[in-house]
Amino acid sequence: MRTLLPLFVFSLQSLAADLVVQIGAEKPLTIKMSDLELLPHQTVKAADHDGKEATWTGVPLYQVLQHAGFSFGDSLRGPALAQYVVVTANDGYKAVFALPELDPRSTDDPVLLCETMNDAPLAADLGPLRMVLPREKRHFRWVRKVARIEVRKVE
Ligand SMILES: Nc1nc2c(c(=O)[nH]1)N[C@H]1C(S)=C(S)[C@@H](COP(=O)(O)O)O[C@H]1N2
Ligand SMILES: [Mo]
């Protein structure tokens, strides 16, 4: 038992590392870190809350949503714009994004779901996944330990 415990803890951690993405009332999709690695990535330089510059690499949030079946094409207009994205951390912290803030046809400001800082996996208090928004002057949407991403509709 004593020798098996570290293995057990490790497998629990890798279970917890999965990201859940839910588009509306659709069945939630679980994305493993290894699946996320296959999506297109972007690298940015950004200063954290303490003003320290770092290089962050991650998947643009719109790419994560597209991977889960959400369309950022021409269909994103009219009533579709009454949808919003909720990013939830495993401590319950939440931040909301409007779709045009994520759509590369609408903005060049990166909104990234990052796996690495300065080429290293994120420390346990930050990751494994963290939102990084280099152009945002406040850091309140730099959600640490992202667990879930949902698209909901304004009622
Ligand atoms: N999961 C989680 N992420 C979070 C927060 C939080 O309370 N929980 N606070 C936010 C706020 S208000 C700020 S200013 C930054 C702080 O980032 P830092 O911890 O890297 O300094 O994290 C953001 N991300
Ligand atoms: Mo903050």
Side-chain angles (χ1 to χ4, degrees), residues 121-139:
L122 300 183
D125 58 334
L126 301 183
L129 293 170
R130 168 171 221 181
M131 294 301 303
V132 172
L133 295 96
R135 302 295 302 274
E136 202 139 274
K137 290 205 259 175
R138 297 295 298 266
H139 287 75

Side-chain angles (χ1 to χ4, degrees), residues 28-150:
L29 173 72
T30 299
I31 303 179
K32 291 187 188 313
M33 293 295 287
S34 52
D35 297 333
L36 209 59
E37 274 168 29
L38 303 176
L39 298 182
H41 280 64
Q42 193 178 343
T43 296
V44 296
K45 272 197 164 50
D48 68 11
H49 188 57
D50 301 326
K52 233 194 298 147
E53 269 258 315
T55 300
W56 298 85
T57 299
V59 181
L61 192 53
Y62 85 91
Q63 294 279 8
V64 177
L65 291 171
Q66 269 186 180
H67 177 72
F70 187 83
S71 173
F72 277 90
D74 290 335
S75 59
L76 186 51
R77 57 180 145 84
L81 283 165
Q83 298 172 100
Y84 58 99
V85 180
V86 183
V87 175
T88 305
N90 77 354
D91 63 358
Y93 190 78
K94 285 181 166 64
V96 172
F97 295 85
L99 293 166
E101 295 181 290
L102 312 180
D103 188 344
R105 296 179 315 160
S106 174
T107 181
D108 290 324
D109 293 356
V111 178
L112 303 181
L113 181 65
C114 288
E115 303 129 310
T116 66
M117 186 182 106
N118 295 334
D119 295 321
L122 300 183
D125 58 334
L126 301 183
L129 293 170
R130 168 171 221 181
M131 294 301 303
V132 172
L133 295 96
R135 302 295 302 274
E136 202 139 274
K137 290 205 259 175
R138 297 295 298 266
H139 287 75
F140 31 38
R141 296 202 290 184
W142 286 47
V143 183
R144 296 182 297 258
K145 296 156 81 75
V146 172
R148 195 176 180 95
I149 298 168
E150 289 159 90

